[in-house]
Amino acid sequence: MTNRILIVDDEQEIADLVALYLENEDFQIFKFYNALDALQCIENESLDIAIIDVMMPHLNGFQLCKKIREQHHYPVIMLTAKGEEIDKITGLTLGADDYITKPFLPLELVARVKAQLRRYKRYNGSSETDENVIIHSGLVLNIKTHECILNEKPLSLTPTEFSILSILCQQKGNVVSSEELFHRIWGDEYFSKNNNTITVHIRHLREKMGDSFENPKYIKTVWGCGYKIEK
């Protein structure tokens, strides 16, 4: 089945260029030049990934990402014209899975899109077996349905947050470094990512889980090594 990609950027030349490269990869494209027009598409279409510019009039990319996360779990990649770390952190905190700073190489964006789709589909497999369900101390993860239940209450996690939590649960009792998390989630597509990306996702996970940084019940930081979930 052809992957369906949403592109939203008020710079028409960039939106058209991104669409062209992705169409050449046989993706189905839904392209918009403002976030307001994209909202109806988000509500009515079944999408696999969204590529959203941050700086747009009326409704910016952060607000649109927040709208998506109210109902959907598919990956979101943010485009930003700024190199400031705060923009990247803001996007990740609101539920984005990746970011890329303008100007960028179109082929790099295509590679990131493919990496996100591979990871998303890997954690939403087609076979229903007991291996798809992870249970740990009130936490239940269903790999196939991308559902997370904590103490009988559903948690809404982004694909990246879900992937991190799944990996840590699968490695219960073992320390997983930030570098290993990068490799497991994004493969070889490291590009300009840094450890702060994982740190932001971990922080957001803890907030959603009500987990304390000082005395965590679930995700423990092992200084200089990485993260782990105790057995």
Side-chain angles (χ1 to χ4, degrees):
M1 182 180 294
T2 301
N3 289 297
R4 298 155 65 89
I5 301 180
L6 174 69
I7 300 171
V8 190
D9 196 321
D10 63 328
E11 294 185 71
Q12 296 188 20
E13 297 83 358
I14 293 179
D16 292 345
L17 180 63
V18 171
L20 177 63
Y21 272 82
L22 292 172
E23 284 171 342
N24 287 338
E25 299 290 332
D26 294 325
F27 293 123
Q28 183 176 353
I29 304 301
F30 298 84
K31 180 179 62 179
F32 299 92
Y33 301 129
N34 67 78
L36 294 177
D37 289 343
L39 283 176
Q40 187 174 359
C41 176
I42 291 168
E43 294 173 358
N44 297 331
E45 298 290 345
S46 176
L47 301 169
D48 295 295
I49 191 169
I51 303 170
I52 302 172
D53 183 38
V54 170
M55 300 302 293
M56 294 186 290
H58 308 303
L59 189 72
N60 64 40
F62 295 140
Q63 293 168 314
L64 184 59
C65 179
K66 188 176 180 181
K67 287 280 187 182
I68 290 174
R69 283 291 171 252
E70 290 175 358
Q71 300 182 38
H72 304 288
H73 296 295
Y74 52 76
V76 174
I77 297 177
M78 305 293 292
L79 304 179
T80 173
K82 300 178 180 179
E84 297 178 4
E85 194 72 15
I86 187 63
D87 280 348
K88 301 171 184 177
I89 293 174
T90 299
L92 294 171
T93 301
L94 290 174
D97 297 277
D98 199 0
Y99 56 82
I100 186 167
T101 304
K102 298 178 181 178
F104 55 84
L105 297 175
L107 289 178
E108 178 181 348
L109 178 59
V110 170
R112 292 198 187 195
V113 167
K114 289 181 177 180
Q116 287 291 336
L117 287 171
R118 283 198 302 271
R119 180 184 51 75
Y120 182 54
K121 293 181 181 298
R122 183 166 71 241
Y123 288 100
N124 287 271
S126 58
S127 60
E128 181 64 55
T129 67
D130 290 341
E131 294 179 356
N132 284 324
V133 179
I134 302 172
I135 302 175
H136 172 70
S137 187
L139 179 67
V140 180
L141 291 175
N142 189 312
I143 303 301
K144 177 183 176 182
T145 62
H146 200 276
E147 291 177 300
C148 178
I149 307 295
L150 180 61
N151 297 325
E152 301 184 354
K153 295 182 180 180
L155 290 184
S156 179
L157 303 181
T158 69
T160 299
E161 291 165 358
F162 189 88
S163 298
I164 290 173
L165 191 56
S166 299
I167 293 168
L168 292 176
C169 285
Q170 290 166 354
Q171 297 290 324
K172 278 186 296 186
N174 298 321
V175 177
V176 183
S177 67
S178 295
E179 290 77 13
E180 183 177 348
L181 286 170
F182 268 123
H183 181 73
R184 293 279 299 275
I185 294 172
W186 287 286
D188 294 327
E189 289 85 3
Y190 280 60
F191 298 109
S192 62
K193 291 180 179 297
N194 54 51
N195 287 352
N196 191 52
T197 304
I198 293 293
T199 302
V200 172
H201 285 303
I202 292 288
R203 185 181 68 196
H204 207 204
L205 262 174
R206 283 175 172 151
E207 290 173 354
K208 290 184 176 182
M209 299 173 71
D211 210 13
S212 167
F213 173 80
E214 293 80 10
N215 188 27
K217 179 180 179 181
Y218 294 99
I219 303 175
K220 179 180 179 180
T221 299
V222 181
W223 294 108
C225 298
Y227 304 93
K228 74 173 181 175
I229 290 179
E230 299 283 7
K231 284 187 176 181

